[in-house]
Amino acid sequence: MLPDFIASDVDLTPRNTLALPARAEFLANITHIEQLQHIARHPDLAKRRRFVLGGGSNLVLTGDFAGLMLAMAIPGKACIGEDAQAWYIAAGAGENWHAFVTWTLAQGWPGLENLILIPGSVGAAPVQNIGAYGLEVGERIDHLEAIDLDTGRLTRFTAADCGFGYRDSLFKREGWHVQGRYAIARVVFRLPKRWQPRTGYGEVAAELAQHGSGDPNPTRIAAAIAAIRRRKLPDPAQLPNSGSFFQNPVVSAELAAALATAHPSLPRYPQADGRVKLAAGWLIEQAGWKGRNLGPVGMYEQQALVLVNRGGATSRDVQRLTRAVREAVLARFGVNLVPEPVFL
Ligand code: EPU
């Protein structure tokens, strides 16, 4: 007998923002950590293949999932403390990211405004260290709590433990999200009381200037970033997609310099370690794939980095386009693009 929070043969189409059709053998709707501990100690369930599912906004389902999918729906958000420097805000893994950011701003706790409108859930945010417009979520995380599904134990990870990098964390590097080793249950954010605007990103500064916001406050920055995102990034509810489909490649200074000589308009972002991050969207556009379709999928006309499902796509279509775009960029620029979403 399955516990009542676990269903079998579940349609995953509405649970991934690319809207790829697939089914899960079992799906657990996790609303509190005791359910995770129950699974960890269950003689049969504990042995099954697992996957931790957040908002499904960074996922390519390549087929049906044989095993137990843990759909993280743990609710709750509250200020759990403050000191002279910061507020500490806790949120359950199942909270919708955008709704959570909006709520913190309404409460008068700024600091997450640059990450407004990112699809997905609170629990998934640290896994790939979501980032946008000059801020990465890891910079605002104090610690998080995760259940070790091998033992059922609640484990605390400080921000330093999480080893955050560009679209990267310990959880992602170890493959824990794919293997279902740890399920992040709750994230505690540290929002500094001395708020400082992050408006260094050219597009954000330009958007603010257009509205005459010489003295930007958190609400104005959130509005500016929401406006930029709405212009460039398709709403998954209207046009299924998973955000940036490739990571921005980080290449050697030599390769970046050679490419810049041949292509002076190539956007380049020098990194602390001397390497240079390139704009994948620019590379894809120059390789001829912006706004171009292959079967029912395509690279979005406003932002070439976003792969969209124009209706009825399967994972084969996505994989075919992934290959075509990677080959085109490699042939033209000698740069290997790495997909951002998890292929499951
Ligand atoms: N560009 C083009 N053509 C395109 C797209 C971009 O030439 O079709 C150029 C732009 O003109 C710009 C540069 O590439 O000079 C960078 O573009 P943009 O500012 O749109 O940002 P991005 O590097 O394409 C990254 C993140 C986004 C995030 C934005 C803003 C990654 C993989 N993507 O995109 O994150 O919102 O910066 O910070 O790092 C996501 O991860 O899902 C995501 C949407």
Side-chain angles (χ1 to χ4, degrees), residues 152-214:
R153 254 195 304 259
L154 186 70
T155 313
R156 182 184 158 112
F157 293 84
T158 64
D161 295 334
C162 292
F164 292 119
Y166 166 62
R167 294 293 187 276
D168 201 20
S169 72
L170 180 69
F171 292 87
K172 187 169 165 183
R173 274 196 296 283
E174 297 289 332
W176 287 337
H177 55 320
V178 181
Q179 296 153 13
R181 165 79 197 272
Y182 284 100
I184 295 171
R186 191 168 93 130
V187 182
V188 177
F189 298 86
R190 180 183 185 281
L191 304 181
K193 289 184 172 172
R194 236 185 78 204
W195 176 78
Q196 287 179 322
R198 286 271 179 105
T199 53
Y201 208 91
E203 242 183 321
V204 177
E207 183 74 25
L208 286 165
Q210 221 177 29
H211 294 90
S213 310

Coordinates of all heavy atoms in Angstrom, one line a residue, residues 152-214:
G152 N 17.5 9.9 6.0 CA 16.3 10.5 6.6 C 16.7 11.7 7.6 O 15.9 12.3 8.2
R153 N 18.0 12.0 7.6 CA 18.5 13.0 8.5 C 18.4 14.4 7.9 O 18.6 14.6 6.7 CB 19.9 12.8 8.9 CG 20.1 12.3 10.3 CD 21.5 12.4 10.8 NE 22.4 11.7 9.9 CZ 22.9 10.5 10.2 NH1 22.7 9.9 11.2 NH2 23.7 9.9 9.3
L154 N 18.0 15.4 8.8 CA 17.9 16.8 8.4 C 19.4 17.3 8.4 O 20.0 17.2 9.5 CB 17.0 17.6 9.3 CG 16.7 19.0 8.9 CD1 15.9 19.1 7.6 CD2 16.0 19.7 10.0
T155 N 19.9 17.9 7.3 CA 21.2 18.4 7.3 C 21.2 19.8 6.9 O 20.4 20.3 6.1 CB 22.0 17.6 6.2 OG1 21.7 16.2 6.3 CG2 23.5 17.9 6.3
R156 N 22.1 20.6 7.6 CA 22.1 22.0 7.4 C 23.4 22.4 6.5 O 24.5 21.9 6.8 CB 22.2 22.7 8.8 CG 22.3 24.2 8.8 CD 22.5 24.6 10.2 NE 23.0 26.0 10.2 CZ 22.4 27.0 10.7 NH1 21.2 26.9 11.2 NH2 22.9 28.2 10.6
F157 N 23.2 23.2 5.5 CA 24.3 23.6 4.7 C 24.3 25.1 4.8 O 23.4 25.8 4.4 CB 24.0 23.2 3.2 CG 24.0 21.8 2.9 CD1 22.8 21.0 3.1 CD2 25.1 21.1 2.4 CE1 22.8 19.6 2.8 CE2 25.1 19.8 2.1 CZ 24.0 19.0 2.4
T158 N 25.5 25.6 5.2 CA 25.7 27.1 5.1 C 25.9 27.5 3.6 O 26.2 26.6 2.8 CB 26.9 27.5 5.9 OG1 28.1 27.0 5.3 CG2 26.8 27.1 7.4
A159 N 25.8 28.8 3.4 CA 26.1 29.2 2.0 C 27.5 28.8 1.5 O 27.6 28.3 0.4 CB 26.0 30.8 1.9
A160 N 28.5 28.8 2.4 CA 29.8 28.4 2.1 C 29.8 26.9 1.7 O 30.5 26.5 0.8 CB 30.8 28.7 3.2
D161 N 29.1 26.1 2.5 CA 29.0 24.7 2.2 C 28.4 24.4 0.8 O 28.8 23.4 0.2 CB 28.0 23.9 3.2 CG 28.5 24.0 4.6 OD1 29.7 24.1 4.8 OD2 27.7 23.9 5.5
C162 N 27.5 25.3 0.4 CA 26.8 25.1 -0.9 C 27.7 25.3 -2.1 O 27.4 24.8 -3.2 CB 25.6 26.0 -1.0 SG 24.3 25.6 0.1
G163 N 28.9 25.9 -1.9 CA 29.9 26.1 -3.0 C 29.3 26.7 -4.2 O 29.4 26.2 -5.3
F164 N 28.6 27.8 -4.1 CA 27.9 28.5 -5.2 C 28.9 29.0 -6.3 O 30.0 29.5 -5.9 CB 27.1 29.6 -4.8 CG 25.9 29.2 -3.9 CD1 25.7 29.6 -2.6 CD2 24.9 28.4 -4.5 CE1 24.6 29.2 -1.9 CE2 23.8 28.0 -3.7 CZ 23.7 28.4 -2.4
G165 N 28.6 28.8 -7.5 CA 29.3 29.3 -8.7 C 28.3 29.8 -9.7 O 27.1 29.7 -9.4
Y166 N 28.8 30.2 -10.9 CA 27.9 30.6 -11.9 C 27.0 29.4 -12.3 O 27.5 28.4 -12.8 CB 28.7 31.1 -13.1 CG 27.8 31.2 -14.4 CD1 26.7 32.1 -14.5 CD2 28.1 30.5 -15.5 CE1 26.0 32.2 -15.6 CE2 27.4 30.6 -16.7 CZ 26.3 31.5 -16.7 OH 25.5 31.5 -17.9
R167 N 25.7 29.5 -12.1 CA 24.7 28.5 -12.4 C 25.2 27.1 -11.8 O 25.0 26.1 -12.5 CB 24.4 28.3 -13.9 CG 23.8 29.5 -14.6 CD 22.3 29.7 -14.1 NE 21.6 30.7 -14.8 CZ 21.7 32.0 -14.5 NH1 22.5 32.4 -13.5 NH2 21.0 32.9 -15.3
D168 N 25.7 27.2 -10.6 CA 26.3 25.9 -10.1 C 26.3 25.9 -8.6 O 26.3 27.0 -7.9 CB 27.8 25.9 -10.6 CG 28.3 24.4 -10.5 OD1 27.5 23.5 -10.5 OD2 29.5 24.3 -10.5
S169 N 26.3 24.8 -8.0 CA 26.3 24.6 -6.5 C 26.8 23.2 -6.3 O 26.9 22.3 -7.2 CB 25.0 24.7 -5.9 OG 24.2 23.6 -6.2
L170 N 27.1 22.9 -5.0 CA 27.5 21.5 -4.6 C 26.4 20.5 -5.0 O 26.7 19.4 -5.5 CB 27.7 21.5 -3.1 CG 28.2 20.2 -2.5 CD1 29.6 19.8 -2.9 CD2 28.1 20.3 -0.9
F171 N 25.2 20.9 -4.8 CA 24.1 20.0 -5.1 C 24.1 19.6 -6.6 O 23.8 18.5 -6.9 CB 22.7 20.7 -4.8 CG 22.6 20.9 -3.3 CD1 23.1 22.1 -2.7 CD2 21.9 20.0 -2.5 CE1 22.9 22.2 -1.3 CE2 21.8 20.1 -1.2 CZ 22.3 21.3 -0.6
K172 N 24.4 20.6 -7.5 CA 24.4 20.3 -8.9 C 25.6 19.5 -9.3 O 25.6 18.5 -10.0 CB 24.3 21.6 -9.7 CG 24.2 21.4 -11.2 CD 23.9 22.8 -11.8 CE 24.1 22.7 -13.3 NZ 23.8 24.0 -14.0
R173 N 26.8 19.9 -8.7 CA 28.1 19.3 -9.1 C 28.0 17.8 -8.7 O 28.5 16.9 -9.4 CB 29.2 19.9 -8.3 CG 29.8 21.1 -9.1 CD 31.2 21.5 -8.6 NE 31.1 22.0 -7.2 CZ 30.7 23.2 -6.8 NH1 30.3 24.1 -7.7 NH2 30.7 23.6 -5.6
E174 N 27.4 17.5 -7.5 CA 27.4 16.1 -7.0 C 26.3 15.3 -7.7 O 26.1 14.1 -7.5 CB 27.2 16.1 -5.5 CG 28.3 16.7 -4.7 CD 29.6 15.9 -4.8 OE1 29.5 14.7 -4.9 OE2 30.7 16.5 -4.7
G175 N 25.4 16.0 -8.5 CA 24.3 15.3 -9.1 C 23.2 14.9 -8.1 O 22.4 14.1 -8.3
W176 N 23.2 15.6 -6.9 CA 22.3 15.2 -5.9 C 20.8 15.4 -6.2 O 19.9 14.7 -5.8 CB 22.6 15.9 -4.5 CG 23.8 15.4 -3.9 CD1 24.4 14.2 -4.1 CD2 24.6 16.1 -2.9 NE1 25.5 14.1 -3.3 CE2 25.7 15.3 -2.6 CE3 24.5 17.4 -2.4 CZ2 26.6 15.7 -1.7 CZ3 25.5 17.8 -1.5 CH2 26.6 16.9 -1.1
H177 N 20.6 16.4 -7.0 CA 19.2 16.7 -7.4 C 18.7 15.6 -8.4 O 17.5 15.2 -8.3 CB 19.1 18.1 -8.1 CG 20.0 18.3 -9.2 ND1 21.3 17.9 -9.3 CD2 19.8 19.0 -10.4 CE1 21.8 18.3 -10.4 NE2 20.9 18.9 -11.1
V178 N 19.6 15.1 -9.2 CA 19.2 14.1 -10.2 C 19.0 12.8 -9.5 O 18.1 12.0 -9.8 CB 20.2 14.0 -11.4 CG1 19.7 13.0 -12.4 CG2 20.3 15.4 -12.0
Q179 N 19.9 12.5 -8.6 CA 19.9 11.2 -7.9 C 18.9 11.2 -6.8 O 18.6 10.1 -6.2 CB 21.2 10.8 -7.3 CG 22.4 10.6 -8.3 CD 23.7 11.0 -7.7 OE1 23.8 11.1 -6.5 NE2 24.7 11.1 -8.5
G180 N 18.4 12.3 -6.4 CA 17.4 12.4 -5.3 C 18.1 12.1 -4.0 O 17.6 11.5 -3.1
R181 N 19.4 12.5 -3.9 CA 20.1 12.2 -2.6 C 19.6 13.2 -1.5 O 19.2 12.7 -0.4 CB 21.6 12.4 -2.9 CG 22.5 12.5 -1.6 CD 22.7 11.1 -1.0 NE 23.2 11.3 0.4 CZ 24.5 11.4 0.8 NH1 25.4 11.4 -0.1 NH2 24.8 11.5 2.1
Y182 N 19.7 14.5 -1.8 CA 19.2 15.4 -0.8 C 18.0 16.2 -1.4 O 18.0 16.5 -2.6 CB 20.2 16.5 -0.5 CG 21.4 16.1 0.4 CD1 22.6 15.7 -0.2 CD2 21.2 16.0 1.7 CE1 23.6 15.3 0.7 CE2 22.2 15.6 2.6 CZ 23.4 15.2 2.0 OH 24.4 14.8 2.9
A183 N 17.0 16.3 -0.5 CA 15.8 17.2 -0.9 C 15.9 18.4 -0.1 O 15.8 18.4 1.1 CB 14.5 16.4 -0.7
I184 N 16.1 19.6 -0.7 CA 16.1 20.8 0.0 C 14.7 21.1 0.5 O 13.7 21.1 -0.3 CB 16.6 22.0 -0.9 CG1 18.1 21.7 -1.3 CG2 16.5 23.3 -0.2 CD1 18.7 22.6 -2.3
A185 N 14.6 21.3 1.8 CA 13.2 21.5 2.4 C 12.9 23.0 2.7 O 11.8 23.4 2.5 CB 13.2 20.7 3.7
R186 N 14.0 23.7 3.1 CA 13.8 25.1 3.5 C 15.0 25.9 3.2 O 16.1 25.4 3.4 CB 13.5 25.1 5.0 CG 13.0 26.4 5.6 CD 12.4 26.2 7.0 NE 13.5 26.4 8.0 CZ 13.3 27.2 9.0 NH1 12.2 27.8 9.3 NH2 14.3 27.4 9.9
V187 N 14.8 27.1 2.8 CA 16.0 28.0 2.5 C 15.8 29.2 3.4 O 14.8 29.8 3.6 CB 16.0 28.4 1.1 CG1 17.3 29.3 0.8 CG2 16.0 27.2 0.1
V188 N 16.9 29.6 4.1 CA 16.9 30.8 4.9 C 17.8 31.9 4.2 O 19.0 31.7 4.0 CB 17.4 30.5 6.3 CG1 17.5 31.8 7.2 CG2 16.5 29.5 7.0
F189 N 17.2 33.0 3.9 CA 17.8 34.1 3.2 C 18.3 35.1 4.2 O 17.7 35.3 5.3 CB 16.9 34.8 2.2 CG 16.4 33.8 1.2 CD1 15.3 33.0 1.4 CD2 17.1 33.7 0.0 CE1 14.9 32.1 0.5 CE2 16.7 32.8 -1.0 CZ 15.6 31.9 -0.7
R190 N 19.4 35.8 3.9 CA 19.9 36.9 4.7 C 19.9 38.1 3.9 O 20.6 38.3 2.9 CB 21.4 36.6 5.1 CG 22.0 37.7 6.0 CD 23.5 37.3 6.3 NE 24.0 38.3 7.2 CZ 24.4 39.5 6.8 NH1 24.4 39.9 5.6 NH2 24.9 40.4 7.7
L191 N 19.0 39.0 4.3 CA 18.8 40.3 3.5 C 19.3 41.5 4.2 O 18.8 41.8 5.3 CB 17.3 40.4 3.1 CG 16.6 39.3 2.4 CD1 15.2 39.5 2.1 CD2 17.4 38.9 1.1
P192 N 20.4 42.0 3.8 CA 21.1 43.1 4.5 C 20.2 44.3 4.7 O 19.5 44.7 3.8 CB 22.3 43.5 3.6 CG 22.5 42.3 2.8 CD 21.2 41.7 2.6
K193 N 20.2 44.9 5.9 CA 19.4 46.1 6.2 C 19.9 47.3 5.4 O 19.2 48.2 5.1 CB 19.4 46.4 7.7 CG 18.5 45.3 8.4 CD 18.4 45.6 9.9 CE 17.4 44.6 10.5 NZ 17.3 44.7 11.9
R194 N 21.3 47.3 5.2 CA 21.8 48.4 4.4 C 21.7 48.1 3.0 O 22.6 47.5 2.4 CB 23.3 48.7 4.8 CG 23.5 50.2 5.3 CD 24.9 50.5 5.5 NE 25.7 50.7 4.3 CZ 27.0 50.5 4.3 NH1 27.7 50.1 5.3 NH2 27.6 50.7 3.1
W195 N 20.6 48.4 2.4 CA 20.3 48.0 1.0 C 21.1 48.8 0.0 O 21.2 50.0 0.2 CB 18.8 48.2 0.7 CG 18.4 47.9 -0.7 CD1 18.2 46.7 -1.2 CD2 18.1 48.9 -1.7 NE1 17.9 46.8 -2.5 CE2 17.8 48.2 -2.9 CE3 18.2 50.3 -1.8 CZ2 17.5 48.8 -4.1 CZ3 17.9 50.9 -3.0 CH2 17.5 50.2 -4.1
Q196 N 21.6 48.1 -0.9 CA 22.3 48.8 -2.0 C 21.8 48.4 -3.3 O 21.7 47.2 -3.6 CB 23.8 48.5 -1.9 CG 24.5 49.2 -0.7 CD 26.0 48.9 -0.6 OE1 26.4 47.8 -0.8 NE2 26.7 49.9 -0.2
P197 N 21.5 49.3 -4.2 CA 20.9 48.9 -5.5 C 22.0 48.2 -6.4 O 23.1 48.6 -6.3 CB 20.5 50.3 -6.1 CG 21.3 51.3 -5.4 CD 21.6 50.8 -4.1
R198 N 21.5 47.2 -7.1 CA 22.4 46.6 -8.1 C 21.9 47.0 -9.5 O 21.0 46.4 -10.0 CB 22.3 45.1 -8.0 CG 23.0 44.5 -6.8 CD 24.4 44.1 -7.1 NE 25.0 43.6 -5.9 CZ 25.3 42.3 -5.7 NH1 25.0 41.4 -6.7 NH2 25.7 41.9 -4.6
T199 N 22.4 48.1 -10.0 CA 21.9 48.6 -11.3 C 23.1 48.7 -12.3 O 23.0 49.4 -13.2 CB 21.2 49.9 -11.1 OG1 22.1 50.8 -10.4 CG2 20.0 49.8 -10.3
G200 N 24.1 47.9 -12.0 CA 25.3 48.0 -12.9 C 25.0 47.4 -14.3 O 25.7 47.8 -15.3
Y201 N 24.0 46.5 -14.4 CA 23.7 45.9 -15.7 C 23.1 46.9 -16.6 O 22.1 47.6 -16.3 CB 22.7 44.8 -15.4 CG 22.7 43.6 -16.4 CD1 23.5 42.5 -16.1 CD2 21.9 43.7 -17.5 CE1 23.5 41.5 -17.0 CE2 21.9 42.6 -18.4 CZ 22.7 41.5 -18.2 OH 22.7 40.5 -19.0
G202 N 23.8 47.2 -17.8 CA 23.5 48.3 -18.7 C 22.0 48.4 -19.0 O 21.4 49.5 -18.9
E203 N 21.4 47.2 -19.3 CA 19.9 47.3 -19.6 C 19.1 47.8 -18.5 O 18.0 48.4 -18.7 CB 19.5 45.8 -20.0 CG 19.1 45.7 -21.4 CD 18.6 44.3 -21.6 OE1 19.2 43.3 -21.1 OE2 17.6 44.1 -22.3
V204 N 19.4 47.4 -17.3 CA 18.6 47.9 -16.1 C 18.8 49.4 -15.9 O 17.8 50.1 -15.7 CB 19.1 47.1 -14.8 CG1 18.3 47.6 -13.6 CG2 18.9 45.6 -15.0
A205 N 20.0 49.9 -16.0 CA 20.3 51.3 -15.9 C 19.5 52.1 -16.9 O 18.8 53.1 -16.6 CB 21.8 51.6 -16.0
A206 N 19.5 51.5 -18.2 CA 18.8 52.2 -19.3 C 17.3 52.2 -19.0 O 16.6 53.2 -19.2 CB 19.1 51.5 -20.6
E207 N 16.7 51.1 -18.5 CA 15.3 51.0 -18.3 C 14.9 52.0 -17.2 O 13.9 52.7 -17.3 CB 15.0 49.6 -17.9 CG 13.5 49.3 -17.6 CD 12.6 49.2 -18.9 OE1 13.2 48.9 -20.0 OE2 11.4 49.5 -18.8
L208 N 15.7 52.1 -16.1 CA 15.4 53.0 -15.0 C 15.5 54.4 -15.5 O 14.6 55.3 -15.2 CB 16.4 52.8 -13.9 CG 16.2 51.5 -13.0 CD1 17.4 51.2 -12.2 CD2 15.0 51.7 -12.2
A209 N 16.5 54.8 -16.3 CA 16.7 56.1 -16.8 C 15.5 56.5 -17.7 O 15.0 57.7 -17.6 CB 18.0 56.2 -17.7
Q210 N 15.0 55.6 -18.4 CA 13.8 55.9 -19.3 C 12.6 56.3 -18.5 O 11.7 57.1 -18.9 CB 13.4 54.6 -20.0 CG 13.1 54.9 -21.5 CD 12.8 53.6 -22.2 OE1 12.4 52.6 -21.7 NE2 13.0 53.7 -23.5
H211 N 12.5 55.8 -17.2 CA 11.4 56.2 -16.4 C 11.7 57.3 -15.4 O 11.1 57.5 -14.4 CB 10.8 54.9 -15.6 CG 10.2 53.9 -16.5 ND1 11.0 52.9 -17.1 CD2 9.0 53.8 -17.0 CE1 10.2 52.2 -17.9 NE2 9.0 52.7 -17.9
G212 N 12.9 57.9 -15.6 CA 13.3 59.0 -14.8 C 13.7 58.6 -13.4 O 13.6 59.5 -12.5
S213 N 14.0 57.4 -13.2 CA 14.3 56.9 -11.8 C 15.8 57.1 -11.5 O 16.6 56.2 -11.4 CB 13.9 55.5 -11.6 OG 12.6 55.3 -12.1
G214 N 16.2 58.4 -11.2 CA 17.6 58.7 -10.9 C 17.9 58.1 -9.5 O 19.1 57.7 -9.3

